[in-house]
């Protein structure tokens, strides 16, 4: 079975290989979100290294789980995605998708075990955070909710993988909630949603062809490009406003990440076959922005 034999304008069978399905470049989302929460709650923790290790492990497992189950709904669309493939080739692809789904469920299980361990240390308040997070991660692409296909992926990921993961990590570290945790989570949460939006922009034509009702398919490509630009710029505005209001430390370092925004920004207006790198390049921008943002917590204030 080869990509040349099975490839079509709708999909590439190589995306179901384990390494590609796991999407390791997207781990920047879980790692940076967890790290921000860890930093925010570090001084309030009586066992910071233990909690930090558990938070990072759980966050990474949850990200892998979401990535590995993400393509499970493609099984229903194999005839559309691979119209030139033989029945046996489509069965082979279905087996790869099923394998990834099972591995994703295993990652969910391990993340749940870590969550139960943390609940035993922090109490039942953490249980509700874990339940909301797990449900949001699983039903991203799974029925009966499948909020990605309802056009809700971008806003819900902002909350689930951004606000909730960051403030929840801070709560695990410190044992209490503060409004500042939620406010300081906003800039990075915006870029977490931006990474998902870049994925929808990259796959706009193929998603539309197979009936995937993502936000970009629903509102149209050009409006999603405008949304991408507004979100990218609003992350800078939010961080700088939070600094000026005294909620965050000096964060002007993030302006250096504008250099990394140039490449994905340019790809917004190119033809579909030249747009393939927009998601990893947006991921690189997210990583640089996030690293600079977190660095601002670790260096002495300049003002």
């Amino acid at each position: 079975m080869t990509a040349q034999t099975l490839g079509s304008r709708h999909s590439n069978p190589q995306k179901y290989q384990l390494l590609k399905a796991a999407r390791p470049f997207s781990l920047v989302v879980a790692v940076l979100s967890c790290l921000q929460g860890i930093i925010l709650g570090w001084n309030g923790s009586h066992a910071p290294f233990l909690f930090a290790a558990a938070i990072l492990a759980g966050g990474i497992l949850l990200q892998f789980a979401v990535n590995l189950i993400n393509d499970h709904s493609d099984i229903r669309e194999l005839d559309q995605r691979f119209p030139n493939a033989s029945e046996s080739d489509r069965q082979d692809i279905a087996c790869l998708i099923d394998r990834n789904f099972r591995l994703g469920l295993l990652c969910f299980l391990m993340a749940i075990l870590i969550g139960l361990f943390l609940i035993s240390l922090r109490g039942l308040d953490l249980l509700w955070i874990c339940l909301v997070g797990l449900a949001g991660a699983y039903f991203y692409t799974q029925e009966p909710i499948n909020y990605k296909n309802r056009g809700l992926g971008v806003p819900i990921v902002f909350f689930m993988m951004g606000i909730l993961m960051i403030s929840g990590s801070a709560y695990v570290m410190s044992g209490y909630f503060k409004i500042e945790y939620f406010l300081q989570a906003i800039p990075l949460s915006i870029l977490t949603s931006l990474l998902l939006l870049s994925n929808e922009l990259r796959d706009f034509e193929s998603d539309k062809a197979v009936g995937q009702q993502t936000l970009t398919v629903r509102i149209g490509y050009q409006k999603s490009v405008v949304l991408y630009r507004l979100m990218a710029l609003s992350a800078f505005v939010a961080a700088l406003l939070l600094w000026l209001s005294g909620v965050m430390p000096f964060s002007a370092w993030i302006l250096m990440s504008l250099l990394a925004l140039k490449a994905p920004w340019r790809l917004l207006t190119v033809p579909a076959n030249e747009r393939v790198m927009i998601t990893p390049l947006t991921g690189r921008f997210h990583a640089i922005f996030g690293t600079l943002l977190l660095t601002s917590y670790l260096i002495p204030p300049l003002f």
Side-chain angles (χ1 to χ4, degrees):
M1 183 172 60
T2 66
Q4 185 177 4
T5 302
L6 300 177
S8 77
R9 65 190 181 90
H10 300 316
S11 192
N12 184 341
Q14 297 303 311
K15 67 181 277 192
Y16 305 117
Q17 297 298 325
L18 183 58
L19 184 59
K20 289 185 178 293
R23 299 170 177 86
F25 74 88
S26 70
L27 289 181
V28 66
V29 172
V31 170
L32 288 177
S33 292
C34 289
L35 281 177
Q36 185 175 14
I38 288 168
I39 292 170
L40 289 173
W42 185 272
N43 290 333
S45 178
H46 65 277
F49 292 102
L50 172 64
F51 284 117
I55 289 168
L56 280 171
I60 290 171
L61 284 168
L62 195 61
Q63 184 73 60
F64 271 135
V66 172
N67 293 345
L68 288 168
I69 71 171
N70 181 62
D71 299 318
H72 193 247
S73 61
D74 289 4
I75 288 181
R76 300 189 299 270
E77 305 163 355
L78 293 182
D79 290 342
Q80 296 167 277
R81 290 178 178 272
F82 304 101
N84 300 320
S86 66
E87 184 60 31
S88 63
D89 285 336
R90 282 196 286 268
Q91 286 295 324
D92 289 341
I93 296 173
C95 288
L96 292 177
I97 295 173
D98 276 331
R99 176 205 61 188
N100 295 340
F101 184 75
R102 291 193 298 270
L103 289 173
L105 293 181
L106 178 60
C107 289
F108 271 120
L109 177 60
M110 291 189 289
I112 288 171
L113 293 175
I114 292 174
L116 291 173
F117 168 69
L118 291 173
I119 290 168
S120 72
L121 298 177
R122 279 292 177 223
L124 289 179
D125 285 345
L126 184 58
L127 173 62
W128 301 109
I129 298 174
C130 293
L131 288 176
V132 171
L134 286 169
Y138 181 79
F139 288 114
Y140 169 57
T141 54
Q142 302 306 305
E143 301 297 344
I145 299 177
N146 192 350
Y147 56 81
K148 175 187 175 183
N149 201 39
R150 296 175 186 269
L152 298 174
V154 171
I156 291 182
V157 163
F158 167 83
F159 175 73
M160 294 291 182
M161 299 301 291
I163 299 293
L164 186 67
M165 183 170 278
I166 294 169
S167 58
S169 297
Y171 171 75
V172 170
M173 292 294 295
S174 65
Y176 52 84
F177 287 110
K178 293 170 62 176
I179 187 63
E180 288 83 359
Y181 294 164
F182 295 94
L183 293 174
Q184 293 184 62
I186 290 173
L188 206 52
S189 300
I190 292 172
L191 294 194
T192 297
S193 285
L194 187 74
L195 186 57
L196 175 61
L197 182 61
S198 75
N199 193 72
E200 292 188 3
L201 287 164
R202 182 196 63 193
D203 297 339
F204 170 71
E205 288 80 9
S206 60
D207 284 342
K208 187 174 182 180
V210 299
Q212 290 274 3
Q213 293 296 305
T214 63
L215 177 64
T216 300
V217 171
R218 287 171 181 267
I219 69 175
Y221 186 82
Q222 291 306 319
K223 289 182 180 178
S224 287
V225 167
V226 173
L227 180 60
Y228 182 103
R229 288 171 172 163
L230 289 174
M231 288 174 63
L233 295 177
S234 67
F236 290 96
V237 172
L240 294 174
L241 286 177
L242 288 168
W243 163 52
L244 291 172
S245 62
V247 176
M248 290 184 69
F250 178 75
S251 55
W253 309 110
I254 60 172
L255 294 175
M256 290 188 290
S257 66
L258 282 168
L259 296 173
L261 181 58
K262 181 179 178 180
W265 191 283
R266 182 183 61 81
L267 293 181
L268 292 170
T269 56
V270 302
N273 62 336
E274 299 176 24
R275 210 185 301 141
V276 65
M277 287 299 294
I278 190 170
T279 300
L281 287 174
T282 301
R284 184 180 69 177
F285 164 60
H286 178 284
I288 294 172
F289 180 103
T291 300
L292 291 169
L293 184 72
L294 298 190
T295 299
S296 67
Y297 290 98
L298 307 176
I299 59 178
L302 299 180
F303 300 98

